[in-house]
Amino acid sequence: MAAAAEQQQQQQQQGFRPLDEASLVAYIKATPALAARLGGSLDALTIKEVGDGNLNFVYIVLSDAGSVVIKQALPYIRCVGDSWPMTRERAYFEASALQKHRGLCPDHVPEVYHFDRAMSLIGMRYIEPPHIILRKGLIAGVEYPLLAEHMADYMAKTLFFTSLLYNSTTDHKKGVAQYCDNVEMCRLTEQVVFSDPYMLAKYNRCTSPFLDNDAAAVREDAELKLEIAELKSMFIERAQALLHGDLHTGSIMVTPDSTQVIDPEFAFYGPMGYDIGAFLGNLILAYFSQDGHADQANDRKAYKKWILKTIEDSWNLFHKKFVELWNKHKDGNGEAYLPPIYNSSELLRLAQKKYMTSLFHDSLGFGSAKMIRRIVGIAHVEDFESIEDASKRASCERRALNCAKAILKGRRQFESIGQVIVHVQSFDRD
Amino acid sequence: MAAAAEQQQQQQQQGFRPLDEASLVAYIKATPALAARLGGSLDALTIKEVGDGNLNFVYIVLSDAGSVVIKQALPYIRCVGDSWPMTRERAYFEASALQKHRGLCPDHVPEVYHFDRAMSLIGMRYIEPPHIILRKGLIAGVEYPLLAEHMADYMAKTLFFTSLLYNSTTDHKKGVAQYCDNVEMCRLTEQVVFSDPYMLAKYNRCTSPFLDNDAAAVREDAELKLEIAELKSMFIERAQALLHGDLHTGSIMVTPDSTQVIDPEFAFYGPMGYDIGAFLGNLILAYFSQDGHADQANDRKAYKKWILKTIEDSWNLFHKKFVELWNKHKDGNGEAYLPPIYNSSELLRLAQKKYMTSLFHDSLGFGSAKMIRRIVGIAHVEDFESIEDASKRASCERRALNCAKAILKGRRQFESIGQVIVHVQSFDRD
Ligand SMILES: Nc1ncnc2c1ncn2[C@@H]1O[C@H](COP(=O)(O)OP(=O)(O)O)[C@@H](O)[C@H]1O
Ligand SMILES: Nc1ncnc2c1ncn2[C@@H]1O[C@H](COP(=O)(O)OP(=O)(O)O)[C@@H](O)[C@H]1O
Ligand SMILES: [Mg+2]
Ligand SMILES: [Mg+2]
Ligand SMILES: [Mg+2]
Ligand SMILES: [Mg+2]
Ligand SMILES: [Mg+2]
């Protein structure tokens, strides 16, 4: 078994080579599943590397007759370089999760055309213009009227249908075992989300000198450290559903009509609140960054209202859709709440209320942890980074940080997303 | 992969045959690891089948020069028959867990001499007389002065050393993935512990007619059903440590000097409180059964005090030993509480307090769930079953049931095991 695994690994190493724009053409020509997407005319391809992400290489490939996106994982973290090695197997888990989640929610997940495990290479739908990365839209102040509805749909379906509310324990544990192997990615999250921000760590940074004391305060906040320990344990131990694992606003491509979720290379069975929190937390970051983008043409006041409304709608619609799925499938294969036990609609309602309240508090906890790490950890967000005036940026970041700390500590006191919105607004003053 | 798994399964089916006392002799002769344990004289073996358990066949094999116990799993549940099929692979998980736990706690886990996966057969140390099953000792009213100390040692070591407090996330997830395959056993537990007692189910029984209303009340108790749902989810989702999985007083063999834990065929990565609760809950059952065993020679009053003291000491010593292990290994491979974050002894102490409080409440929850299922579910305990007078038995069982229901609902209110003891005693009146 160990020998077999080793052999497999060697074969994979043998089959692997990092592509560039030239060798990619040859690869496509040799790969019918990709060639077919581009029509016959493979001799006049336009190829553009667009990987603005932190980890991988992404090529947009266009022909007269079609298009495809090729994403390849190299055995290290792109934005750090080969001093930070990272398993290429993340491409396998990204492809698996894309396929699984697309099966559950085809409207909001791109199709995978081709996966080559040895090459750590995914060929998928080109999410064409005018789609842009949501984070960029938020920075530009663009409203997406369907975003909350679409993301609620995506989260409700991917989380519900991969949980014990829908699946038998047998199927669930099969999935858990499969994704246990994506542990290197989980460890990366552990480090950059749940550990480094709370200690002195090599890659931590903040808007210095303005936030030096704020960052130090995070490292000295006992209450915060007790809360983060609980979330960190839950992150690793609790296999509640197949998560996207990196559901920030940089993993979502949008137009006013369409919402597409990409980049689930951190996928694993974890607590649902981690995905929901990632999305909501990044919207709150976008909110606090708006003052840094306000100018005479646009004071961003109306846009801030829209962001808050989107946060509120996202949770409320998620809640509604998730419970609807639960009710619809309550007599299905899921064994968590057996109909002969939860045998009155009143009792089922109580059980759902308890479940959703606890999920809400988890989401707030993980969401605020994701906010904190974007301000005092290694990876910052463009929402703030693009504010050129460092002092202005720092003051936006400080409000976000203080808001997140308070939510993390007090999350169990919130009874509705409306209360959270009021809380967020209360930090939006100097 | 699927083909390989199928082939493996076929081979295993081919290699399998249920042994009896005659064929066992031939098997031993052909198996050096077993033959060696019995010395040379294999022609005068004494073989006795002693499987008093519910699931498997257990043979004690004695020669002039040695001894061995052979345990074989058949593809169904022994006490129900082949109408209830059950994977023989449970023997693999039992052998794996015995070996793992023995490595961590050799004083309290028997040595495995031989494991034959195709035959679902374990050869292990014969835990010789005067060892008896603890449950039988408790029924007989025998005190075991070292029991609490030994079980605290066993639970602290097996749970701590298989948790994220000691292991890297990578090693932890490897273990989780391995034991995901023991899912059939987990499903059996789900059914008989967390589901059947709360609904009308074929195999449920209770001391009828005395407890009919009590059993019905369990099935109609909304609060109880909400709590059991939470525990059931935790049981399946939360991979906190490698559990024994069936740690009742029938899985422990004792003398006044020695404590040996057998039968971890339900082993899986689950919430620690499930093991701790199984042990404490079964001691509480033993406590409530004592009035049924009192006679003129022995009113069992002193013995009941000893049981309560043993419950109290078990938790307190477990707590002490577990935290000692944590302190000792705080700078080791475990990544849950990194020293640069939990960087003062005061902060670490607070983190430990939070962790242990939550573990205490989990243990109380699972312990009471295990009590309830032994009174209104399929598998009852000899502690009560051996009380011949049904009305007397029912009144013992009712007190235990009411006590367990109250603990399950109110577990988060308890701050110490001492308070639980007071609570238990308060139910020990008509
Ligand atoms: N299917 C796609 N269609 C169009 N653009 C894409 C697609 N996938 C990725 N991109 C672009 O490439 C960028 C990086 O992709 P991403 O999957 O997030 O990589 P990383 O894992 O490195 O973060 C995205 O921000 C987006 O601009
Ligand atoms: N190693 C052993 N040494 C002595 N007796 C044993 C040993 N293992 C099992 N037994 C006896 O066999 C009985 C059933 O064993 P157990 O492992 O509990 O089987 P089951 O899984 O069927 O419950 C025990 O109650 C005990 O009396
Ligand atoms: Mg990305
Ligand atoms: Mg990525
Ligand atoms: Mg047994
Ligand atoms: Mg048993
Ligand atoms: Mg057993």
Side-chain angles (χ1 to χ4, degrees), chain A residues 53-54 246 248 250-251 263:
Chain A
N54 294 320
D246 197 23
H248 56 79
S251 297
D263 196 14

Side-chain angles (χ1 to χ4, degrees), chain A residues 169-170 173 180 187 190 195 225-226 229-230 232 237-240 335 337 341-343 347 351 354, chain B residues 169-170 187 190 195 225-226 229-230 232 237-240 335 337-338 341-343 347 351 354:
Chain A
T169 302
T170 305
K173 293 235 176 196
C180 271
R187 292 191 65 194
E190 277 187 74
S195 297
K225 290 177 177 191
L226 293 177
E230 188 180 327
K232 185 177 177 180
E237 292 172 351
R238 184 163 180 203
Q240 195 179 18
E335 290 163 335
Y337 293 80
I341 302 178
Y342 302 90
N343 50 0
L347 181 54
K354 190 173 172 188
Chain B
T169 303
T170 307
R187 291 191 66 193
E190 276 186 76
S195 298
K225 291 179 177 188
L226 293 178
E230 187 180 327
K232 185 177 178 183
E237 292 172 351
R238 184 166 180 201
Q240 195 178 20
E335 290 162 336
Y337 293 80
L338 295 177
I341 303 178
Y342 302 90
N343 51 359
L347 180 55
K354 189 171 172 187

Side-chain angles (χ1 to χ4, degrees), chain A residues 216-292:
Chain A
V218 168
R219 296 193 300 270
E220 281 150 27
D221 189 328
E223 202 186 335
L224 209 58
K225 290 177 177 191
L226 293 177
E227 294 297 343
I228 205 73
E230 188 180 327
L231 292 175
K232 185 177 177 180
S233 292
M234 202 197 297
F235 176 80
I236 313 166
E237 292 172 351
R238 184 163 180 203
Q240 195 179 18
L242 176 58
L243 307 190
H244 177 285
D246 197 23
L247 195 56
H248 56 79
T249 50
S251 297
I252 304 168
M253 298 189 72
V254 285
T255 69
D257 307 315
S258 163
T259 305
Q260 302 294 320
V261 178
I262 59 170
D263 196 14
E265 65 189 325
F266 287 82
F268 75 112
Y269 276 77
M272 296 178 183
Y274 187 76
D275 268 6
I276 303 166
F279 179 61
L280 300 182
N282 275 271
L283 288 178
I284 301 176
L285 290 177
Y287 173 82
F288 281 108
S289 77
Q290 293 301 318
D291 286 359

